[in-house]
Amino acid sequence: MASNFVDYVKICVRSGKGGAGSAHLLRTRSNAKGGPDGGDGGRGGHIILRGNKQFWTLLHLKYTKHLIAEGGGNGGENRLHGKNGEDVIVDVPLGTVCKDFETGEIDCEITEDGQTAIIAQGGRGGLGNDHFKSPTNRTPRYAQPGEEGVERWKIIELKILADIGLVGFPNAGKSTLLSVVSAAKPEIADYPFTTLVPNLGMVSYREGKSFVMADIPGIIEGASEGKGLGYRFLRHIERNSALLFMIPCDCDDVSKEYDILLNELKNYNPELLDKERILAITKCDMLDEEMTEQMKAQLPPNVQSIFISSVSGKNIALLKDLIWQTLNKNVG
């Protein structure tokens, strides 16, 4: 499954060249010196991205190095318009961002099903000589050539769309929580980096409501500098509405681990710190009430916290309530 998740591709796109306008002059038996009747050339084909909610990866583009659209047809006599070049339409998952490889400028962000965006505009068709006649030049023998298409290298990357993202070090219990609260079936084991790809799960809430949770592969200290797996996946956190920090109760220092996680997010993108945050202390089935109270005094301030256990189900319903309240804090 890990090999099927592709969230980054570099691809060369080339839109179609516009067709040439016609410089034809009308010549018939009854009219040996007819005026210009050249038609316009057709537009070159566009390269278009289209959002498709059935897609969750860019795997279908992994081995596609070039996207090339058809050129427009040339104009003809009798003011016949050339055929427009056929567009190349590529379906992509929701959350896809397209950037120019050389400038880094964002061309578009696809966030809705059916949304389309042109990432390489087809060249305009040339005007036929009919457009150039005038009182002083009644038989222009020239027409416009078609406009060249665009050829650029593009970066297409996926930032998964989820309401809440799970943030924590490897083996913090993120995958276990996702498997308990949703129908997602992530791989779970007692060693770091079990999760090699982001996993999405739909969490059912009260009265038929639901929200989407994303299990992001574990972050390590230095992830924002490219260490471990974290850097590759930090961009997936950018689109989450809120972040659920998960730290196991048996770690040496909860506040220190929380600060390290915050620092990695800040180094990657300071705007991530503007998101709503919740802190979940995990694996708490091994704590008694006295130990829980002792830990509460050591928790970082200014963040809502909750003690949970995905194995025993402790406070899972309360966690869902807290997430729902956080996601809807500024609604209405």
Side-chain angles (χ1 to χ4, degrees), residues 255-287:
S255 287
K256 183 180 178 183
E257 289 212 0
Y258 177 71
D259 287 341
I260 292 171
L261 291 170
L262 272 185
N263 192 52
E264 292 306 320
L265 299 189
K266 179 182 176 183
N267 289 342
Y268 176 72
N269 181 354
E271 291 180 10
L272 292 176
L273 300 191
D274 295 335
K275 294 182 182 294
E276 295 287 342
R277 301 194 290 267
I278 302 170
L279 172 60
I281 312 302
T282 64
K283 307 181 182 180
C284 291
D285 48 298
M286 60 179 78
L287 294 182

Side-chain angles (χ1 to χ4, degrees), residues 47-188:
I47 308 292
I48 298 173
L49 298 186
R50 179 174 62 193
N52 187 332
K53 63 182 179 183
Q54 304 297 328
F55 282 57
W56 67 284
T57 171
L58 298 172
L59 178 66
H60 58 300
L61 294 175
K62 183 176 181 181
Y63 301 108
T64 304
K65 291 301 176 193
H66 295 84
L67 292 173
I68 302 172
E70 185 181 55
N74 294 334
E77 60 186 82
N78 203 23
R79 298 179 181 82
L80 186 66
H81 196 288
K83 175 178 171 286
N84 288 338
E86 194 168 332
D87 298 330
V88 172
I89 301 176
V90 181
D91 284 335
V92 293
L94 307 189
T96 296
V97 176
C98 179
K99 299 177 183 174
D100 187 276
F101 173 69
E102 291 180 13
T103 66
E105 186 177 339
I106 293 177
D107 295 324
C108 65
E109 298 187 31
I110 303 293
T111 57
E112 296 177 12
D113 190 44
Q115 176 189 347
T116 59
I118 297 172
I119 60 170
Q121 189 105 18
R124 287 178 297 188
L127 297 177
N129 63 348
D130 182 54
H131 289 273
F132 301 106
K133 64 186 178 186
S134 69
T136 56
N137 185 6
R138 295 190 171 186
T139 55
R141 299 173 184 274
Y142 50 85
Q144 277 184 335
E147 193 175 66
E148 292 293 331
V150 176
E151 183 169 351
R152 305 286 291 179
W153 282 93
K154 300 289 184 182
I155 298 296
I156 300 175
E157 64 182 21
L158 175 62
K159 298 178 182 180
I160 57 177
L161 292 167
D163 297 306
I164 187 149
L166 307 183
V167 180
F169 289 108
N171 219 16
K174 301 185 298 297
S175 298
T176 305
L177 175 65
L178 187 68
S179 70
V180 167
V181 298
S182 77
K185 296 287 181 278
E187 185 181 344
I188 300 168

Side-chain angles (χ1 to χ4, degrees), residues 59 117 120 132 137 196 219 225 288:
L59 178 66
F132 301 106
N137 185 6
L196 298 177
I219 297 171
E225 297 162 13
D288 58 27

